[in-house]
Amino acid sequence: MKYYIITGEASGDLHASNLMKELKIQDPEAEFRFWGGDLMLAQGGELVKHYRETAFMGFLTVVKNLGKIKANFSLCETDLLRFNPDVLILVDYPGFNLRMAKFAKKHGIRVHYYISPKIWAWKESRVKKIKAYVDRMFTIFPFETEFYQKHNFEVSFGGNPLLDAIENRPNKEEGFPDFIKRNKLGEKPIIALLAGSRKQEIERVLPVMLECVDSFPDHQFVVAAAPSIDAEFYASVVGDQNVQFVYGQTYDLLQQAKAAVVTSGTATLETALLRIPQVVCYLTGGGKLLFTIGKRLLKVKYISLVNLIMDQLIVKELIQHTCNKEMITQELNQILFNKEYRIQMLYNYQLLNEKLGGAGASARFAKMIYEDLQR
C-alpha cells in the first residue's frame, strides 16, 4: 500500500523512521512519501520536504514566515492528492497536521494520527478537530487514553516508541573510556546538559545551567549539542565557560553521565529511560506576566513527562523563578551524593519503564495500522 507521512521535527523523524521500518515487515511492497528527515529517508521512499525547512516556532517566527508556511500547505495538499495514498499518517506537529487531516478527510483519504498532539496540556479544544478529521488515533502515553475517553473518542495505546529508539541505539555497549577518547573529553565524571534543540530555548536555559559549573570542580559538564545548531551559536551563548560539546550524540552522552540537567520536553523521558538521575528546568520568554498567563492555560500539574506519566513528583522541576543556580546546584548535590535519594529515583525509573509497556511499540503500532487498512 501507499503511505504518506508528515512530521515536522527531529523526534518525529526518529519515531516515523522506526514505524516505517516495521511497516515494511508488515507490508514488504509498501511505498512511502513523506515530510520528515534523514532517518526516514534512510528507510526508503521519497522525501518531499525536510523538517529543517518547515520548523517555524514562536509567534514572531511564524509571522515572519507566513508566506513560506502558506506555500508549504499548498505544496503538501497538491502532493498528497497526486500521490493518492491509502493512508495519511500524521506524527504530532499539530499546527500543520490538523489542517492536513481536514484536507485529507475532505478528499476521502483515510487519516491515522501517530503520536497524539499534547492537547491534554495545551489547546484542549483541538480535540474537536481530531474527532472530526482523524479516523484512528494512536497514543504513546497511558494517561492519554483516559483523556480521550473523557471526550468520547476511542484511541489505541501501544506503548512508547522511545523505548525502541533507546533499545536500538548505536554505541549501546560503548564504555566510558572509549566514549571520552572518541570525543576528546577529560576523565572526570560527566554531568550532561540538555538545553533543547531550538535557539530561543538554548539562549534562555543554557546560561542558567552553566552557572553551576564552578560548584562541581570534580565533574566535567558536557552539552548535548543539537546537530541543527552551529558551533558559532553555542560559542556565543557559552562564552569562556569551562564546558565541552558533543553533537548528535544525546543517547551516547547520557549513557555515560552521572547526572543530567534537562530542559522540559521529550528529553526528560529519554533521560529517565536511560536511567540517568536528572533535574528538570523550564524557563519561558516574555517575563513574569506571560509566564503567569501560560501557567493558567496549562491543564496539567507537572511539566516533565516523567512526572506526568507516573502522576507524582519523581524528578525535581525547577520552573521560572526557581530555575536558578542555587536550586540547580542543590538538586545536583542530591542526585550525585545522596545515595538513598539517587536509588529512589532510579527505582521510580524502573516503574516508569514497566508502565510504558517495554520495547516493541513501533512493531505493535505498525501491525495496528496495517490491519486497520486491511479491514
Side-chain angles (χ1 to χ4, degrees):
M1 288 181 288
K2 297 165 71 175
Y3 304 83
Y4 199 101
I5 307 174
I6 304 175
T7 186
E9 54 193 3
S11 62
D13 179 37
L14 171 65
H15 298 319
S17 69
N18 285 329
L19 180 68
M20 290 166 68
K21 179 181 177 182
E22 297 297 338
L23 279 170
K24 288 190 293 185
I25 295 173
Q26 297 289 328
D27 183 4
E29 296 181 15
E31 291 182 53
F32 296 107
R33 192 167 179 84
F34 52 87
W35 293 53
D38 299 333
L39 296 176
M40 294 172 73
L41 191 59
Q43 291 298 327
E46 297 291 329
L47 174 65
V48 182
K49 277 267 188 178
H50 199 287
Y51 65 79
R52 285 193 297 264
E53 301 177 67
T54 63
F56 303 112
M57 303 300 294
F59 178 76
L60 291 178
T61 305
V62 169
V63 170
K64 290 178 183 177
N65 290 278
L66 281 176
K68 291 181 182 179
I69 293 170
K70 186 177 180 180
N72 283 337
F73 277 126
S74 180
L75 170 62
C76 193
E77 290 170 353
T78 302
D79 195 63
L80 180 68
L81 293 182
R82 185 184 297 123
F83 187 61
N84 190 28
D86 292 283
V87 63
L88 169 64
I89 301 176
L90 307 171
V91 185
D92 201 354
Y93 197 42
F96 192 92
N97 276 341
L98 284 176
R99 174 166 168 172
M100 290 310 303
K102 180 179 180 180
F103 179 83
K105 189 74 172 178
K106 178 182 176 182
H107 289 86
I109 297 172
R110 190 157 181 77
V111 179
H112 284 180
Y113 218 124
Y114 177 56
I115 303 181
S116 169
K118 297 176 181 62
I119 60 172
W120 34 264
W122 184 260
K123 294 187 178 180
E124 187 171 348
S125 60
R126 280 176 166 172
V127 73
K128 296 176 183 177
K129 294 181 179 179
I130 288 172
K131 290 176 69 174
Y133 311 134
V134 175
D135 296 294
R136 286 287 300 274
M137 170 65 76
F138 302 94
T139 59
I140 63 173
F141 300 118
F143 62 80
E144 290 176 319
T145 302
E146 184 179 335
F147 169 82
Y148 279 108
Q149 281 178 344
K150 183 179 71 174
H151 292 280
N152 299 312
F153 187 64
E154 184 179 346
V155 299
S156 302
F157 172 70
N160 196 295
L162 270 180
L163 291 160
D164 295 340
I166 288 171
E167 178 68 23
N168 301 319
R169 67 189 185 276
N171 303 318
K172 184 179 176 181
E173 305 301 327
E174 185 176 46
F176 185 77
D178 291 333
F179 175 76
I180 61 173
K181 181 179 180 181
R182 179 164 62 84
N183 288 285
K184 300 178 181 178
L185 301 174
E187 296 183 355
K188 294 179 180 179
I190 291 173
I191 297 175
L193 301 180
L194 279 65
S197 59
R198 302 186 184 101
K199 288 186 175 181
Q200 298 98 319
E201 62 182 350
I202 293 170
E203 284 179 316
R204 285 197 300 266
V205 178
L206 187 54
V208 180
M209 292 179 173
L210 292 173
E211 290 178 3
C212 306
V213 171
D214 293 339
S215 300
F216 298 90
D218 295 330
H219 290 75
Q220 58 179 324
F221 285 73
V222 184
V223 176
S228 57
I229 307 294
D230 57 76
E232 290 76 14
F233 174 79
Y234 278 112
S236 69
V237 175
V238 171
D240 58 359
Q241 285 278 10
N242 183 23
V243 64
Q244 305 299 316
F245 295 86
V246 294
Y247 277 85
Q249 300 181 64
T250 301
Y251 289 176
D252 294 3
L253 172 61
L254 284 172
Q255 180 175 290
Q256 306 302 336
K258 290 294 184 183
V261 186
V262 187
T263 299
S264 178
T266 305
T268 63
L269 181 56
E270 292 172 313
T271 303
L273 293 176
L274 283 162
R275 311 294 205 278
I276 309 303
Q278 65 181 300
V279 51
V280 177
C281 295
Y282 184 71
L283 281 171
T284 63
K288 186 176 180 179
L289 177 60
L290 190 59
F291 170 72
T292 302
I293 294 171
K295 189 176 180 181
R296 288 178 179 174
L297 292 173
L298 283 175
K299 305 291 185 180
V300 293
K301 56 183 176 181
Y302 301 114
I303 61 164
S304 72
L305 287 171
V306 178
N307 295 337
L308 279 169
I309 294 167
M310 297 301 290
D311 195 27
Q312 59 178 299
L313 195 66
I314 302 300
V315 296
K316 188 77 169 181
E317 298 180 348
L318 302 179
I319 306 171
Q320 212 65 5
H321 65 281
T322 63
C323 184
N324 55 51
K325 175 185 176 180
E326 291 72 23
M327 295 296 288
I328 297 173
T329 300
Q330 179 179 314
E331 186 62 16
L332 278 176
N333 275 313
Q334 285 283 82
I335 60 180
L336 285 169
F337 306 120
N338 185 329
K339 188 175 181 180
E340 290 184 5
Y341 190 86
R342 184 179 179 91
I343 289 173
Q344 184 62 52
M345 188 177 291
L346 293 174
Y347 173 72
N348 287 328
Y349 282 175
Q350 179 60 39
L351 297 179
L352 170 74
N353 192 301
E354 293 170 4
K355 193 166 186 176
L356 289 175
S362 298
R364 291 191 289 271
F365 282 120
K367 189 171 187 290
M368 285 190 279
I369 290 171
Y370 183 70
E371 289 180 347
D372 179 86
L373 296 177
Q374 287 294 297
R375 285 194 296 270

